[in-house]
Amino acid sequence: MSHVKESIEVDVPVTTAYNQWTQFESFPEFMHGVERIEQRSDTLTHWVTTIGGVEREFDAEITEQIPDEKVAWVTVGGQTEQSGLVTFRPIDPTHTEVTLMMDFDPEGMAESIGDKLGFVDRQVKGDLKRFKHFIEDRGAETGAWRGTV
């Protein structure tokens, strides 16, 4: 099992950053390799990804969600083993630290080599930078889900 952890400061209030993160279907707009996400229930999402020419489909179940604090998930079924946690920490009233932690099991030689070469770390760092630009350029979230899991 491999682990990645990256953080970024975004220039929006914690509620704005958190609310946008709950809009899973918008992830393809800032996450490279994510083709689409379908929100199937309050706690279940279906992902379609293409990374390095390899397409995968899997479901992710939200295991914990606390507004303005965190969202945790684990994959269920499908071709990918992964779990993660994203946390939101207010720095001040208009700035938020977003931290993404993920554990995953690389499959096959190509993914194992890519993991050892830091591909996943760079991918997560790039996705967080694109999230930063996405939410800062908009200045407001595209929607929100404020439920607790």
Side-chain angles (χ1 to χ4, degrees):
M1 190 71 59
S2 293
H3 180 77
V4 63
K5 179 180 178 182
E6 295 289 342
S7 296
I8 197 161
E9 181 180 319
V10 294
D11 298 335
V12 296
V14 68
T15 298
T16 302
Y18 172 84
N19 286 349
Q20 185 59 55
W21 199 273
T22 67
Q23 300 306 291
F24 302 108
E25 292 179 353
S26 73
F27 281 18
E29 296 185 55
F30 57 85
M31 285 190 174
H32 282 183
V34 176
E35 300 295 323
R36 94 176 170 273
I37 300 175
E38 299 168 9
Q39 183 89 37
R40 295 201 166 158
S41 73
D42 288 347
T43 59
L44 187 67
T45 55
H46 180 76
W47 293 61
V48 177
T49 63
T50 303
I51 300 174
V54 177
E55 184 176 295
R56 292 229 164 88
E57 288 196 42
F58 58 91
D59 292 331
E61 181 180 3
I62 297 166
T63 57
E64 185 175 22
Q65 187 164 342
I66 300 173
D68 298 340
E69 290 183 27
K70 63 182 159 182
V71 178
W73 72 91
V74 63
T75 57
V76 291
Q79 309 163 338
T80 301
E81 270 192 59
Q82 171 190 122
S83 62
L85 171 69
V86 61
T87 61
F88 304 86
R89 184 181 66 83
I91 296 169
D92 62 35
T94 60
H95 296 87
T96 303
E97 179 184 63
V98 179
T99 300
L100 176 60
M101 295 166 275
M102 204 167 63
D103 293 316
F104 59 97
D105 191 14
E107 294 181 27
M109 186 174 298
E111 285 187 15
S112 294
I113 290 170
D115 178 38
K116 300 248 185 285
L117 294 174
F119 174 78
V120 177
D121 291 324
R122 287 189 302 278
Q123 180 75 33
V124 168
K125 187 177 282 191
D127 288 345
L128 285 177
K129 284 181 183 177
R130 285 183 292 279
F131 174 75
K132 174 183 175 66
H133 293 297
F134 179 84
I135 192 62
E136 288 177 1
D137 289 350
R138 292 185 58 78
E141 59 270 35
T142 61
W145 191 79
R146 305 286 303 168
T148 300
V149 176

